[in-house]
Amino acid sequence: MTTSHASDELQELFDDTIAADQRVEPRDWMPDGYRKTLIRQIAQHAHSEIIGMQPEGNWLTRAPSLRRKAILMAKVQDEAGHGLYLYSAAETLGADRADLTEKLIEGKQKYSSIFNYPTLTYADVGVIGWLVDGAAICNQVPLCRSSFGPYARAMIRVCKEESFHQRQGFELLMTMMRGTDAQREMVQESVNRWWWPALMMFGPPDDQSPNSEQSMKWRIKRHTNDELRQRFVDMSIPQAEVLGVTFPDPDLKWNAERGAHDFGEPDWSEFMQVIKGNGASSVERVANRRAAHENGAWVREAATAFARRESSKENAR
Ligand code: FAQ
């Protein structure tokens, strides 16, 4: 068998696996483009979870009660856990975790646009839970059926935890909406700031999304960015009604013909600026991540030295 026959066979096996909706596992042969796309998406996703700890973490010391503080600490810790599952999934593809972190703090790899906005009030903690985790779930539930095994499996656990996060956000907002006029105003003001950035989380419109078509063929992505954005809008409107808040979009209305809501166009020039690193909090987010990485160097050194000592003891036995 010549090399080209062998690679044709491997490609065929890979194509059959995808066509049969089976999982591709780390030991399997896969095209370079598939591997690169997965590393790109999973790394961005992991970075988002880790950077995503900062906006809410900002309120940990100022939570209004011990109960709210305990809930928020648990949520932020869950996000660290999600980042770790995802970095592990990227490692099964041959990526190096230290290298991915370096790329993040050098601004060479992206993280979600949403985490470049500041958290100005405690209502933002509730709105992040409700809308940001809500959008994350909408985007990630289909990823539980992604063709790459370790990513799909990580997503199952992540989605369970995100659902819990979303409910805690909704419960926090419900409590505030049952409070004073000032609390209700605080919630509405926060919803007004986060609605459009939440819609941008799904990525650019389909006709400006260079990666979607191939990622869908490979069944990494199961739906287009616009399909998921529509799903999120339709899901959020009845929840907003229950809460008693409105979304800042005059074009939002039910379209009986389509069986879905029409809605306005997010400001895509703002999105492009944010993903280029020019968001309101972009510099601060990356600087904090860099500082945390540098301050944690001694922990990594100690852990590596310990592992080295244990393995030399093992070898001596
Ligand atoms: N932000 O061709 P497409 C969370 C980039 S986790 C920044 O459409 P693709 C949990 C994109 O990378 C939130 N960049 O790309 C939580 C590409 O650039 P590149 C993160 C974005 O990959 C909650 C370019 O634009 N979730 O929130 C964004 O097919 C609360 C062209 O775009 C995930 O990562 C964006 N929003 O589709 C944590 C989910 N959108 O790489 C804390 C997994 C697009 O070519 C608190 N990822 N770009 O230079 C995905 O599903 C996909 O990667 C998309 C983008 C849908 C995000």
Side-chain angles (χ1 to χ4, degrees):
M1 187 162 53
T2 66
T3 316
S4 83
H5 272 144
S7 60
D8 286 352
E9 266 179 34
L10 290 168
Q11 178 72 50
E12 218 171 284
L13 200 63
F14 172 84
D15 292 343
D16 290 348
T17 305
I18 300 287
D21 231 347
Q22 301 286 315
R23 295 270 180 275
V24 176
E25 295 297 336
R27 61 172 183 267
D28 297 336
W29 181 90
M30 59 188 85
D32 272 353
Y34 179 82
R35 187 183 298 277
K36 278 194 193 131
T37 297
L38 276 165
I39 293 177
R40 177 186 64 81
Q41 178 166 328
I42 298 173
Q44 284 177 8
H45 195 167
H47 298 331
S48 304
E49 298 281 356
I50 299 297
I51 294 271
M53 295 165 76
Q54 292 185 38
E56 290 161 288
N58 175 40
W59 284 93
L60 276 174
T61 53
R62 288 168 292 159
S65 67
L66 184 59
R67 178 172 171 264
R68 291 290 170 201
K69 186 171 179 140
I71 293 171
L72 186 54
M73 272 199 316
K75 180 180 192 286
V76 171
Q77 282 176 0
D78 282 352
E79 284 151 11
H82 298 173
L84 297 185
Y85 312 148
L86 287 161
Y87 284 126
S88 298
E91 282 180 317
T92 69
L93 290 156
D96 175 62
R97 191 182 300 207
D99 177 54
L100 298 179
T101 302
E102 204 56 43
K103 287 191 169 120
L104 169 67
I105 61 187
E106 292 298 330
K108 291 182 187 149
Q109 267 179 355
K110 295 187 174 77
Y111 59 89
S112 181
S113 50
I114 194 78
F115 303 118
N116 293 296
Y117 293 85
T119 40
L120 304 179
T121 68
Y122 204 77
D124 289 2
V125 170
V127 172
I128 289 180
W130 174 39
L131 293 180
V132 175
D133 282 279
I137 295 165
C138 224
N139 168 266
Q140 287 164 209
V141 164
L143 294 175
C144 298
R145 293 184 296 116
S146 181
S147 57
F148 186 58
Y151 190 34
R153 288 189 288 275
M155 281 302 107
I156 293 172
R157 180 155 174 189
V158 169
C159 284
K160 281 188 184 153
E161 293 178 356
E162 307 274 42
S163 302
F164 197 63
H165 293 172
Q166 195 207 14
R167 283 171 205 208
Q168 74 76 37
F170 194 82
E171 188 268 345
L172 192 165
L173 296 178
M174 205 57 179
T175 306
M176 290 183 79
M177 292 304 286
R178 289 190 184 123
T180 63
D181 282 349
Q183 285 175 305
R184 278 186 283 278
E185 275 165 31
M186 193 187 273
V187 173
Q188 183 62 59
E189 188 276 333
S190 174
V191 170
N192 291 349
R193 273 185 291 112
W194 290 95
W195 174 247
W196 292 110
L199 294 190
M200 293 175 195
M201 285 176 72
F202 296 92
D206 291 351
D207 58 3
Q208 292 162 46
S209 163
N211 301 299
S212 281
E213 192 185 343
Q214 183 60 66
S215 287
M216 290 193 39
K217 281 190 188 143
W218 278 328
R219 299 194 180 174
I220 294 172
K221 281 168 85 160
R222 294 282 175 159
H223 303 280
T224 71
N225 300 353
D226 286 335
E227 282 166 8
L228 293 173
R229 199 172 357 259
Q230 178 74 58
R231 195 179 278 189
F232 175 67
V233 170
D234 292 335
M235 174 185 110
S236 301
I237 288 171
Q239 296 175 0
E241 280 163 11
V242 172
L243 270 179
V245 295
T246 55
F247 292 128
D249 179 356
D251 297 326
L252 201 56
K253 59 175 182 309
W254 176 248
N255 182 329
E257 228 167 84
R258 288 200 309 119
H261 292 87
D262 290 337
F263 56 99
E265 198 65 41
D267 180 350
W268 293 115
S269 61
E270 174 182 315
F271 171 78
M272 289 314 293
Q273 279 304 315
V274 171
I275 68 171
K276 278 187 200 144
N278 300 324
S281 303
S282 306
V283 172
E284 179 189 335
R285 299 283 185 251
V286 176
N288 284 343
R289 182 68 196 93
R290 177 191 291 278
H293 187 64
E294 286 168 2
N295 292 336
W298 70 271
V299 179
R300 292 189 297 281
E301 280 161 25
T304 315
F306 179 76
R308 213 179 292 128
R309 198 187 65 188
E310 290 302 294
S311 91
S312 64
K313 268 200 233 159
E314 193 67 30
N315 291 341
R317 268 189 212 135

